[in-house]
Every structure is written in structure tokens, then in C-alpha cells.
Amino acid sequence: MLDRCGHGLGGWLSCPRPWHCPQQPVEEDIQACLEPGDVLLVEGSSRISTVIKYLTQSTWSHAALYVGEGSFVEADLSEGVRVVGFEAFDGHALRICRPVGLGPAEIDRLIAFVCARVGHRYDLRNLLDLARYLLPLPPVPTPWRRHMLGLGSGDPTRAICSTLIAEAFQSVRYPILPIPVAGRSRVFRRRHHSLFTPRDFDLSPWFEVVKPRLVGGFDPHALAWQEST
């Protein structure tokens, strides 16, 4: 009974809102710029996306990992970890965040990590976790916001979008936003993977932001402007 209620509530929270308008322009030709291992950030339109954007003070509410051949692995609230095509993000503002310096073998291990978790699900039996997202958006102090995003029991067979991807990058020892060790230059310790949010890949100094319109060069003089009358 609890499992059925959880899936019903999860489906309602993840239902897109048709009146949603992206805050950022929808990038053209983004699919042609993708490389395996890229993190795709998404400005979601669901009810839970609104809460995530509020708590993280960010445009980005969802993340997926590009695994090649037009496919992404993502963790969906109601469906769990699954493989989707680019059409799943059609009409949403997107951003490519690319890890720098990983070799082909490390990219393969990264992709294998997330693919091995396809079929894992959110822990939807904990209705108290889900119920938090039904409440009006409260004035939450900044230090508490990451912890309010925690969902589920911590069972390794359960996953959320940014947690799954953060854990995958940590499995190949790639930094996202590690914590500096006091008194030791360029020595870091890992932040727990459950505390990562989609915007952390955008903020990370170790991920390159790829903008398709600038790939291959950009000539600002070629733009056509409509003069005001």
C-alpha cells in the first residue's frame, strides 16, 4: 500500500506543467556537441523541479549523463534509473558540463557505473520524504537547503539524479566540488555524494561549460538586428 501511494505521489510531483516557460533560451544544435561522459543539466518543468530550483537557487533542477549513441542515463522520480533519448528533454533549457582530462578507459568506467544501476528506483515508500515537496515554499536558511533535498533511505539500490552522477564521478576519482583540507594545499576530501545538486556541475571549476553556438567559432557581426522605431 505504501509503495503504491509513493509511486502515485511521485508521479504527481514529476508531472510536467504545460504552462512552464524556460528561464534560459533553449539552445540549438546541442545534441551535435555531446560527448560520452557529458553531464546534461535541465531546467525541469515539474512540480518537484520548482522546489529543487528554489532550494538550490539555480535554474537547473535535473541532471542526466550522456552515455553515447543518443542515449542518456537519468534518475526519474517515478520511474527510477532509466535510459532515455534526447527527445526526453525537448523544449527545456539545457547546459552541457564536460569533465576535462579523463581518458577513454575512465569514461568507459564512468558510463558502466551508471548503466549498471539502470532499473534501480527511488525509495518511494518513505512518504514523509515526499510530503515535504507538497508544502508551500518556506524561507529556508541557505545552510539547510542541501539537506532538505535528501530523499530516501540511503539504500544503494535507490537513486536521485545528481546523487547518481556524483557517485559515478567519484568512482573514477574525478572532482566536482570537493572540500579543501585545512592547512594542506591542493589536498581535498570527498563531499558525500548525497549532498550534490544539479547546479554543482555548473559551479564546479573542473567541468567545462560547452555552448553549442560558440563551437566552431562565432561572428557577432553576422547577427541581424531589428532596429527600434
Side-chain angles (χ1 to χ4, degrees):
M1 177 66 72
L2 289 177
D3 214 25
R4 287 199 298 271
C5 290
H7 281 289
L9 185 53
W12 185 83
L13 286 169
S14 61
C15 182
R17 299 170 300 165
W19 60 86
H20 169 77
C21 294
Q23 296 179 19
Q24 301 289 332
V26 177
E27 194 77 76
E28 298 176 0
D29 302 323
I30 199 167
Q31 189 173 6
C33 295
L34 288 164
E35 295 180 2
D38 284 350
V39 178
L40 187 70
L41 301 183
V42 184
E43 183 190 357
S45 62
S46 66
R47 294 176 176 91
I48 197 170
S49 293
T50 301
V51 180
I52 293 172
K53 287 188 281 188
Y54 165 73
L55 291 176
T56 62
Q57 295 293 286
S58 170
T59 297
W60 313 114
S61 61
H62 185 63
L65 187 74
Y66 184 62
V67 297
E69 299 183 356
S71 297
F72 301 81
V73 172
E74 66 165 9
D76 178 75
L77 179 60
S78 59
E79 300 295 328
V81 183
R82 61 181 183 174
V83 179
V84 297
F86 188 76
E87 64 277 1
F89 313 113
D90 187 41
H92 294 282
L94 305 171
R95 172 162 290 172
I96 300 173
C97 294
R98 178 168 296 161
V100 176
L102 289 179
E106 291 168 311
I107 294 292
D108 289 344
R109 286 165 48 203
L110 179 74
I111 291 172
F113 185 98
V114 295
C115 288
R117 282 148 182 81
V118 171
H120 291 185
R121 306 187 67 85
Y122 273 99
D123 186 358
L124 297 178
R125 291 174 296 177
N126 191 340
L127 296 182
L128 291 177
D129 274 344
L130 291 175
R132 290 179 301 176
Y133 299 112
L134 301 176
L135 302 175
L137 299 180
V140 181
T142 300
W144 297 359
R145 287 176 176 164
R146 284 184 185 268
H147 295 281
M148 283 196 69
L149 288 167
L151 177 71
S153 63
D155 185 322
T157 63
R158 316 287 180 172
I160 61 175
C161 66
S162 49
T163 291
L164 171 69
I165 297 174
E167 195 173 9
F169 277 102
Q170 287 184 346
S171 74
V172 296
R173 302 181 69 83
Y174 192 85
I176 305 170
L177 287 177
I179 302 170
V181 176
R184 302 184 65 183
S185 177
R186 301 186 65 83
V187 178
F188 302 91
R189 60 183 177 89
R190 295 182 182 182
R191 186 188 305 273
H192 194 273
H193 58 264
S194 66
L195 297 178
F196 283 100
T197 67
R199 79 164 187 168
D200 291 334
F201 297 96
D202 193 13
L203 295 177
S204 172
W206 292 285
F207 281 79
E208 176 186 3
V209 174
V210 179
K211 297 188 175 182
R213 293 186 185 182
L214 303 183
V215 173
F218 169 64
D219 181 6
H221 307 98
L223 293 178
W225 295 90
Q226 180 178 346
E227 302 297 335
S228 59
T229 56

